Amino acid sequence: SPARTALAPRDAAARRKGKARRGRGKARSEGLLSKQKRSRRMKANDRERNRMHHLNSALDALRSVLPTFPDDAKLTKIETLRFAHNYIWALTQSLRLA
């Protein structure tokens, strides 16, 4: 019933009040915690590095299909996206007029 589910968290908290913490047993040592944090940070850095690598590869592929002159400097990320947006818009307009 709704009244019972509303009281359930309080009842559970009251039951836990006088009891020792259960679960994994011993508290983790500081060395183990810092090693885990370092490991998590390294994994997060790897994921971010891979994400940026894939993003840059996709932008390079987009740059390769956009009509630019070879002597132009490499477009920045935002310039590439804006140019692609405008190019698609222009192609759409030319199709509508045709």
Side-chain angles (χ1 to χ4, degrees):
S1 75
R4 184 173 187 158
T5 56
L7 295 176
R10 279 192 228 151
D11 292 342
R15 282 190 301 245
R16 283 194 307 260
K17 235 179 194 177
K19 295 183 180 180
R21 193 175 107 185
R22 292 185 189 180
R24 298 181 182 211
K26 294 182 183 178
R28 295 182 182 170
S29 69
E30 291 294 320
L32 182 60
L33 282 176
S34 67
K35 192 179 280 189
Q36 284 179 335
K37 285 181 182 178
R38 204 170 25 245
S39 174
R40 286 183 188 143
R41 176 58 19 218
M42 288 175 61
K43 288 177 183 176
N45 289 347
D46 275 347
R47 285 192 304 272
E48 179 63 11
R49 194 175 305 110
N50 285 332
R51 186 187 73 81
M52 289 305 299
H53 175 74
H54 287 106
L55 177 64
N56 289 331
S57 296
L59 285 166
D60 286 338
L62 181 58
R63 283 184 195 106
S64 72
V65 298
L66 292 174
T68 59
F69 298 108
D71 56 350
D72 280 354
K74 179 180 168 184
L75 298 172
T76 64
K77 293 174 185 178
I78 191 68
E79 289 171 342
T80 302
L81 292 174
R82 286 181 178 146
F83 187 14
H85 176 269
N86 292 335
Y87 183 59
I88 292 168
W89 179 84
L91 290 174
T92 304
Q93 292 302 315
S94 66
L95 285 174
R96 284 186 186 153
L97 293 175

